[in-house]
Amino acid sequence: APLLISLATLVLPLGGWWFEQQAGGRQPSERERIAFDYAFAELAKADPALRPPRRWFVTDDQDPNACVYADTLMLTRGMLDNPFFPAVLAHELGHFNTSDGRLTAALYRLTTPPHKPVRFPLKGLAYLASGRLAMAPVQTAWAIYWRHREMLADDYAAKLGQGPVLETYLDTHALDGDLPTPFKVFGRTSHPWTEHRIDRLQARSPNS
């Protein structure tokens, strides 16, 4: 059953609503929609073919954060109010305009609850029954892949003219809001080291 659901997630717009409920999200207010539309319009100037997310929602968290899962974009209230929002949105659209969001959801659904480790004596049984044991041999390969995808999303933001602004944001905030997929345990985060991301963005800058 998890395999069938996972495969369906790759081709169908599944998972966004459930992700919103789990995250405690809500539909955006009118002024939040205006803030989003303004930022998206600025990015679309660099790429008129830019596609908006199929759906997006807001969580009432003051820490700036954003992520893409399935066909859905999650934004915190702190991110919408952040002056770096267009640059971060450009990065997230880099994920959204590829298969990253759906692949993330599909991989997450390859395992059954509990996704997180439990205490002894149920720890071993849960590790086996949930499917996490079968995922262990490939977790490093997936982690390397996701770090590469983060770099490509940064490249996409630079393509939209947000490279220097994203550099500043990474230097002061650093994106660390990872989804807890079982494949992202290579190190503490699936994102590449912030300094390496900044180096790559600087190399792409026309002024470097």
Side-chain angles (χ1 to χ4, degrees):
L3 179 60
L4 292 176
I5 295 174
S6 176
L7 292 175
T9 301
L10 287 174
V11 296
L12 299 173
L14 301 174
W17 181 87
W18 183 245
F19 174 52
E20 179 180 340
Q21 308 312 307
Q22 288 183 313
R26 59 171 173 78
Q27 292 300 299
S29 66
E30 183 60 26
R31 61 178 179 173
E32 289 169 340
R33 291 184 185 277
I34 292 174
F36 179 91
D37 290 343
Y38 178 81
F40 186 85
E42 288 297 308
L43 299 177
K45 292 178 181 179
D47 182 7
L50 187 65
R51 293 188 300 118
R54 181 175 176 271
R55 58 180 291 139
W56 63 282
F57 67 90
V58 179
T59 64
D60 288 312
D61 186 346
Q62 293 306 311
D63 290 332
N65 202 0
C67 70
V68 171
Y69 182 87
D71 60 347
T72 301
L73 172 66
M74 183 278 288
L75 296 170
T76 65
R77 181 52 194 256
M79 188 76 264
L80 281 164
D81 292 336
N82 195 290
F84 295 103
F85 173 47
V88 176
L89 178 60
H91 171 92
E92 297 303 331
L93 290 175
H95 290 304
F96 182 78
N97 282 269
T98 66
S99 61
D100 287 354
R102 290 190 179 187
L103 185 57
T104 297
L107 292 176
Y108 189 65
R109 291 175 180 187
L110 275 177
T111 59
T112 58
H115 296 293
K116 296 181 180 180
V118 297
R119 294 183 179 181
F120 182 85
L122 298 178
K123 182 176 181 178
L125 180 61
Y127 200 71
L128 178 63
S130 67
R132 293 179 68 244
L133 180 62
M135 301 299 106
V138 296
Q139 66 185 17
T140 298
W142 276 117
I144 293 172
Y145 171 82
W146 283 116
R147 289 186 173 185
H148 176 64
R149 297 305 302 176
E150 290 296 328
M151 290 290 198
L152 293 182
D154 287 347
D155 291 347
Y156 191 86
K159 178 183 175 182
L160 295 179
Q162 297 296 318
V165 183
L166 185 58
E167 289 176 35
T168 303
Y169 179 78
L170 290 173
D171 195 33
T172 55
H173 293 77
L175 297 172
D176 59 357
D178 286 343
L179 290 170
T181 71
F183 310 94
K184 295 187 176 183
V185 293
F186 178 62
R188 298 183 61 185
T189 173
S190 70
H191 285 103
W193 289 275
T194 300
E195 287 298 315
H196 292 181
R197 296 176 68 183
I198 292 175
D199 282 349
R200 185 181 176 104
L201 286 167
Q202 289 178 339
R204 291 180 59 87
S205 173
N207 297 323
S208 62

